[in-house]
Amino acid sequence: MLWLAAALIASAPPRRMPPPEVTYTVRVDPTDTSGFDVAIHLRHAPASFELAMYRHPEYDDRYWRYLDGVTVDGAGTRITRADSAVWRVTGAASDVTVRYRLRLPPETGLQRPAWRPFLAPTGGLVDGPHALLYVVGAEDAPARVVLSLPDGWRVATPLRPTADPSSFFASSVAELMDSPILLGRFHDWSFTVDDAPHRVVYWEPPDARPFDTLTFVSHLAGVVREAVALFGRPPYAQYTFLFRDRAWGALEHPDAVTLGAPSADLSADPDAELEETAHEFFHAWNLMRIHPAGYGGVTYRPRPLSTGLWVSEGFTMFYADLLPRRAGLKVGDSTRAAHLERLLGRYYENPVFARFSAERISQSSYAPNPAFLGDYQGSTHLNGEVLGAMLDLLIRARTGGRRSLDDVMRGLAADSAGFTTGSVQRLVARTCGCDVRAFFDRYVRHAGVVDANRYLGLIGLHADTAWVAAVDDSGRAMPDLRVWSYLPPGSSRPAILLGTPFGAWGRAGLHSGDLLESVADSSVTSVAGFRAGLVRLRIGDTVPVVVRRGHQTLTVRVVISGFKHAVVRISRLGTINDGQRRLLAAWEAGATH
Ligand SMILES: [Zn+2]
């Protein structure tokens, strides 16, 4: 995925640079977990060059804020800040070393996102995007990473090992940036699928809860076997699962994944992270190697927003549910029909799909502005999973059960150039031998809500949708608190972020982007403070909300109401023929076709 775009970028600038030899040295002191020291040594460096912090396609954590004491060795050599994420070195000798310390930002809660670096007395995570500046214009240059670690600490990373156990190798900046490094004392397992070694490591602090590691690892191996069986072979030489306690979320890489997996959850259920892990692992193909045209590449600049994530994220959601079932493992929803019921309920109750196309919702997914879709909040994961599920049914029906969405995935994997809406449409049409232009026009290029019954009917199923009052665990109607806030760039006050324009807050006249002054006469100064104030609200309350919109200050009275959920029930059609019965049985079993 990344090397193609990196090659394009590297060939574009007129300024040519013979590749310098780059060595990163990362030094960890377990008695000072406030950060770690980095030295970047360049041999054959040009007299002037730039170092930049890589911008990830999916997030912008702006860790350039936390680089302390950036210096360069050598008399007459200078390093200056050229931009927020860029440093310029001038007057450099052929051999030059830049040093700095990454000061880790303070923990804001018990858990932190799994993709961010951390350091504890018994382990840590170091990665390129947050910590290792790259040489601009030398994106094809290989690099060595030398780790200076406390005694007894080990290393798990997709970086290539060398004869020296503390030294690793990356063939390009893209590879370096996609190779997180887990350090410390951790559990370590491995298994082989189709001759490819898979390593599973789990880091935990000393007070972690024990869990059933045998089940944890063997079920993971089951998912891996199913994904490899779908595509025919693993796309990597080896793969590393980097799990850790005290973290949430996950981030995929071509040959690895970092995952938050709290030991408290795993001790209650060793499969607690199975679907999330299946999702991230499926990304090793879908998004890492099968990717939208123009996605990826090495840059420190803002990236274009992709229109293809409904395939990259949505189809990955589809397989995160399906692969564990194929492996005979239990997943959250008891059956595929139950899974689709829950999915369609969320899909039908969100008005975003009637208002925005799958392409547009895809663009909102990794957009830095949370109000990208105005008063609507879209999920490209949900959108794409519903569209993928419907296309799967269509393909199965049109081919008499001989093909499925699996064939589309294999077709996508054969095209390394990157897909477009048009190329996915052509591939689906070829797979089913049918015309799907109207489907792609209606739901992908334009906004439209899928009528699931059109596709469910092909395999003898029918969905009924009911709107029922949202209630809490004790059966009491819940107040409509479908409103959030965010801190716009440069603003000290949070702004409104509506979940839907048709809820209590939208109906009262509020819009996403309105700057919050006060709620119920209490000044709003933070995102957390706004949310905390909402929990006091009850159905029937009238709340004065003062906002600033442009130069106007407005007082809006929000009448707190209840709200309704869409509840979908799927049942069999009254009359169903043999062909439908066969398709239904294969679909319910999660069969490949
Ligand atoms: Zn994902």
Side-chain angles (χ1 to χ4, degrees):
M1 169 195 91
L2 295 176
W3 64 267
L4 234 184
L8 290 175
I9 290 168
S11 64
R15 185 162 53 89
R16 284 189 168 271
M17 187 190 292
E21 288 177 33
V22 187
T23 302
Y24 296 88
T25 305
V26 176
R27 199 178 67 82
V28 173
D29 176 355
T31 64
D32 179 3
T33 56
S34 65
F36 47 84
D37 298 312
V38 178
I40 309 174
H41 182 74
L42 271 73
R43 279 185 68 199
H44 311 307
S48 68
F49 60 91
E50 287 176 342
L51 291 168
M53 187 164 265
Y54 174 86
R55 173 95 158 226
H56 197 275
E58 295 179 49
Y59 62 80
D60 181 17
D61 285 342
R62 302 183 299 143
Y63 262 45
W64 38 260
R65 292 173 293 169
Y66 307 125
L67 293 200
D68 276 356
V70 182
T71 58
V72 64
D73 290 359
T77 311
R78 280 167 47 84
I79 186 160
T80 51
R81 195 83 178 250
D83 197 349
S84 51
V86 183
W87 284 258
R88 182 171 297 131
V89 175
T90 52
S94 171
D95 272 22
V96 62
T97 303
V98 172
R99 299 171 202 276
Y100 52 87
R101 180 171 177 81
L102 180 72
R103 172 176 44 86
L104 292 166
E107 305 257 359
T108 49
L110 276 178
Q111 301 189 344
R112 64 167 60 204
W115 58 89
R116 288 197 190 143
F118 80 101
L119 208 49
T122 60
L125 182 86
V126 171
D127 74 334
H130 294 94
L132 306 179
L133 301 178
Y134 72 93
V135 183
V136 178
E139 287 80 1
D140 285 343
R144 219 156 64 92
V145 178
V146 179
L147 301 167
S148 171
L149 301 178
D151 285 346
W153 281 33
R154 293 185 301 136
V155 177
T157 177
L159 286 170
R160 300 169 199 204
T162 67
D164 173 358
S166 65
S167 181
F168 297 84
F169 176 79
S171 65
S172 66
V173 172
E175 196 173 299
L176 178 71
M177 293 300 154
D178 253 321
S179 299
I181 309 166
L182 190 72
L183 314 163
R185 302 167 200 275
F186 44 71
H187 300 278
D188 208 334
W189 304 272
S190 63
F191 57 85
T192 300
V193 174
D194 208 9
D195 293 333
H198 295 72
R199 186 178 184 190
V200 183
V201 302
Y202 186 84
W203 176 85
E204 59 190 5
D207 61 346
R209 296 264 200 92
F211 62 91
D212 176 357
T213 57
L214 196 68
T215 301
F216 177 71
V217 177
S218 67
H219 287 186
L220 182 55
V223 168
V224 170
R225 277 193 291 274
E226 290 301 331
V228 169
L230 192 164
F231 287 101
R233 62 184 173 84
Y236 41 75
Q238 51 188 3
Y239 191 90
T240 310
F241 293 90
L242 303 170
F243 287 98
R244 71 187 219 245
D245 198 357
R246 303 277 166 85
W248 59 269
L251 189 67
E252 69 285 346
H253 302 279
D255 298 353
V257 58
T258 52
L259 283 130
S263 61
D265 297 348
L266 294 173
S267 71
D269 177 6
D271 288 334
E273 299 296 334
L274 191 64
E275 283 163 74
E276 169 86 42
T277 309
H279 175 99
E280 305 303 338
F281 179 66
F282 198 75
H283 273 320
W285 287 267
N286 198 19
L287 189 56
M288 295 291 88
R289 290 169 174 89
I290 300 165
H291 58 84
Y295 182 86
V298 173
T299 184
Y300 59 86
R301 296 193 170 94
R303 293 170 178 273
L305 299 171
S306 175
T307 56
L309 298 176
W310 65 279
V311 171
S312 307
E313 290 292 4
F315 289 16
T316 301
M317 293 297 289
F318 178 84
Y319 283 101
D321 175 76
L322 187 50
L323 294 179
R325 289 183 201 278
R326 284 185 182 166
L329 304 169
K330 95 180 149 50
V331 275
D333 298 312
S334 56
T335 63
R336 293 202 73 195
H339 181 68
L340 200 50
E341 284 174 344
R342 194 166 59 82
L343 204 67
L344 289 172
R346 288 170 52 215
Y347 178 76
Y348 286 137
E349 75 187 22
N350 191 336
V352 74
F353 304 111
R355 179 78 176 76
F356 294 99
S357 68
E359 289 186 339
R360 190 75 178 147
I361 293 169
S362 165
Q363 288 183 314
S364 79
S365 191
Y366 301 159
N369 176 10
F372 185 83
L373 299 177
D375 294 342
Y376 295 80
Q377 287 295 312
S379 163
T380 199
H381 293 66
L382 171 60
N383 194 182
E385 186 176 1
V386 168
L387 296 182
M390 298 303 117
L391 289 173
D392 180 56
L393 294 174
L394 182 68
I395 294 165
R396 286 167 184 273
R398 291 285 178 263
T399 61
R402 284 188 308 280
R403 289 184 168 189
S404 72
L405 197 65
D406 288 13
D407 296 277
V408 174
M409 292 316 307
R410 285 189 284 269
L412 286 167
D415 173 14
S416 62
F419 65 80
T420 60
T421 296
S423 73
V424 176
Q425 180 190 313
R426 285 190 293 277
L427 180 58
V428 173
R430 262 206 315 278
T431 306
C432 72
C434 61
D435 185 355
V436 289
R437 179 167 192 90
F439 185 99
F440 278 76
D441 278 348
R442 268 184 213 143
Y443 311 124
V444 181
R445 297 184 182 91
H446 303 284
V449 178
V450 170
D451 174 9
N453 281 328
R454 205 170 155 167
Y455 304 94
L456 287 170
L458 299 171
I459 63 165
L461 294 178
H462 180 83
D464 290 298
T465 306
W467 289 87
V468 300
V471 293
D472 62 17
D473 290 343
S474 57
R476 263 198 312 265
M478 288 188 347
D480 185 353
L481 304 181
R482 292 174 296 170
V483 61
W484 289 267
S485 66
Y486 68 102
L487 212 54
S491 169
S492 59
R493 285 195 177 273
I496 289 266
L497 187 64
L498 291 183
T500 161
F502 306 114
W505 303 76
R507 284 198 310 265
L510 291 167
H511 293 290
S512 291
D514 288 346
L515 291 173
L516 278 157
E517 295 274 331
S518 68
V519 175
D521 301 325
S522 297
S523 174
V524 176
T525 55
S526 72
V527 168
F530 173 65
R531 196 67 202 167
L534 295 183
V535 299
R536 288 192 291 273
L537 300 178
R538 300 284 175 267
I539 291 174
D541 288 350
T542 298
V543 200
V545 180
V546 180
V547 295
R548 233 176 30 236
R549 185 182 300 158
H551 296 298
Q552 280 183 304
T553 298
L554 307 167
T555 301
V556 175
R557 294 190 182 282
V558 181
V559 179
I560 304 296
S561 60
F563 64 105
K564 287 186 170 170
H565 277 313
V567 175
V568 172
R569 287 285 164 260
I570 292 178
S571 53
R572 288 192 184 202
L573 288 170
T575 47
I576 169 170
N577 63 35
D578 281 351
Q580 286 170 312
R581 193 167 291 118
R582 272 196 303 276
L583 291 172
L584 177 58
W587 180 82
E588 282 176 330
T592 54
H593 50 255

